[in-house]
Amino acid sequence: MLHASPSQPPEDETQDLHSLRMSDSNVTLSLSDSSESSNNANPTSRTSSKYGTPEEVQMAIEELRKAFPGEHRVETGRNTLKTYGSSENSYHPTSPHSVVVHAESTDDVVKVVNISRRYRVPITAYSGATSLEGHFSGYPSGSICLDMSGMNQILEINEGDGDLNCQSGVRWEDVNRILKEKGIPLFFPLDPGPGATIGGMIGTGCSGTNAVRYGTAKAEWFLNVTVVLPSGKVIKTRQRARKSSAGFDTTKLFIGAEGTLGIVTEATLRLAPLIPTKVAMAQFPNVENAVSAVQEILNTPYGPHIQCVELLDDHMMAAINSAGLVDQPYPVQDTLFFKIQGAAESIEQTSKIVQEIVSKHGSSRFEFAATDQEAEDLWENRKYALHSTMAAHPGTRCWTTDVCVPVSLLPRLVYETKQDLAKTGLKSTIVGHVGDGNFHALILFRDEEELKIVDDAVHRLIVRAIAMDGTCTGEHGVGVGKTEYLTDELGEDTVELMKTIKRAIDPLDLFNPGKLYPGRHDDGEKHHS
């Protein structure tokens, strides 16, 4: 159950990287002058002088080495710091950290937080490294990366209550694998990208293919969380009861906060009963027909039996075929993948209704997976859309983004986006949680010139979604990449309320600075005009 960590760098590369960072960083995070009073400071507009000097960063590193004397508990090698501060699947400005510390307990986290505060060195939590919007990048003045992936234990399973307690570095797939191995007929239904950990899922407010039936991280799938605050205090947000009206929901305060308010070390997860499923596929002449069919299906009495309904556009189906991941190529059309759940008779009745409705909306093909293995393979093709897209076009890189709009507007958004992407001449695929109005665009490029074209296309997509009463991100989170859109989406007063909460909890702005909260760029203008 241990996570794979980046490989250790050669001995000659284990030099401190702080001096390298100051000259080599290409970060363009939001930085502007702020008041000396921490109560009046903008959490995203603090100057580097508010943080520790290079000498103080070095003192913090030395104190961390004393606090964690074990082998590889504290690392400063060049390759390690760059790996932990950036992602091959994210193209936002990044900076390496000054030091990586591997935590094994809540007490470890408290020690690191107290040292961070003592020397005013920013701290960023890291675990699955699947985030796409620059969430775990370093800070240019120097930062501590707190690796939580070693905190990967399930601490207690309460089968009778339908919940379990685990550390935040546990991957969601491991939760479900262990429940299956123990013969416990329950599962955790939130299913973001492969490799995502519980802490990261909480931080980004994730969801996944099951959201149409089970909702998102912001539903009550996290009964409580244990959090280390910037003060070094440890809190548990509530007890284990299924519901409570005792005060406001402090658990929700940390869901979607992207590690800027506290570092989650444990969580109690609510589990759902395993229900039999069947997987089906329907193909359509266009996206509009496919989405219209889904809306009608979900509004029938059989809608609750739809566990998942996923859209893969014609380009995505072609990529799956080209990637060589299937034994029999699929017809290249806009396609819906369904998971239908329930007792055998419920699945049979729901399937009949689904088949009738998709036929009415022009479906040319509707079929079930013949075996459990075929069903698993079919769904895996959807979950590994990024890998299929890149495998189909060797030598390219891929920018993945997501937006979400009211379901009725999704056909228009997808159509306009496909038209826009076609004009750029770039290869792209689209996959979507169509029952939620959420879709992902995977756009390929080969060089810096094409990367700029992709960046502009992503900008237009986000503006389009917000204009449709949608959001700049349905499940990836804001990070560095989407801060500039938050005010347009939420309004200045809502964003100011978020910043007020941030200032109250983290007055020194040490927890993951430069992420989530909108602020001005160095040139005083938005990245996109």
Side-chain angles (χ1 to χ4, degrees), residues 24 97 103 134 153 191 250 255 268 293 297 325 397 427 447 472-473 479 488 506:
D24 196 38
H97 296 282
Q153 300 301 307
D191 62 332
T250 53
I255 298 175
T268 299
I297 290 166
L325 301 178
R397 301 185 70 186
K427 301 288 186 183
D447 52 37
C472 65
T473 174
D488 288 341
D506 184 17

Side-chain angles (χ1 to χ4, degrees), residues 363-381:
S363 174
S364 57
R365 178 181 182 181
F366 180 86
E367 61 184 50
F368 283 100
T371 65
D372 290 343
Q373 185 60 51
E374 186 177 335
E376 184 177 328
D377 292 344
L378 190 71
W379 213 256
E380 189 170 271
N381 288 332

Side-chain angles (χ1 to χ4, degrees), residues 22-72:
M22 302 306 290
S23 61
D24 196 38
S25 169
N26 65 339
V27 172
T28 56
L29 298 179
S30 303
L31 298 170
S32 64
D33 289 338
S34 61
S35 167
E36 288 294 321
S37 168
S38 61
N39 289 330
N40 295 323
N42 182 332
T44 58
S45 299
R46 188 180 302 279
T47 63
S48 294
S49 64
K50 296 297 182 182
Y51 296 119
T53 64
E55 292 75 21
E56 288 172 315
V57 172
Q58 202 60 46
M59 291 168 65
I61 292 173
E62 291 307 313
E63 190 162 336
L64 288 167
R65 291 190 193 281
K66 292 175 183 176
F68 301 97
E71 186 178 8
H72 300 312

Side-chain angles (χ1 to χ4, degrees), residues 255-294:
I255 298 175
E258 301 188 2
T260 65
L261 301 180
I263 297 173
V264 175
T265 61
E266 294 181 17
T268 299
L269 316 183
R270 183 164 65 96
L271 306 174
L274 272 175
I275 300 175
T277 63
K278 287 195 72 175
V279 173
M281 180 180 74
Q283 296 195 292
F284 296 84
N286 54 56
V287 170
E288 291 86 347
N289 288 38
V291 176
S292 297
V294 171

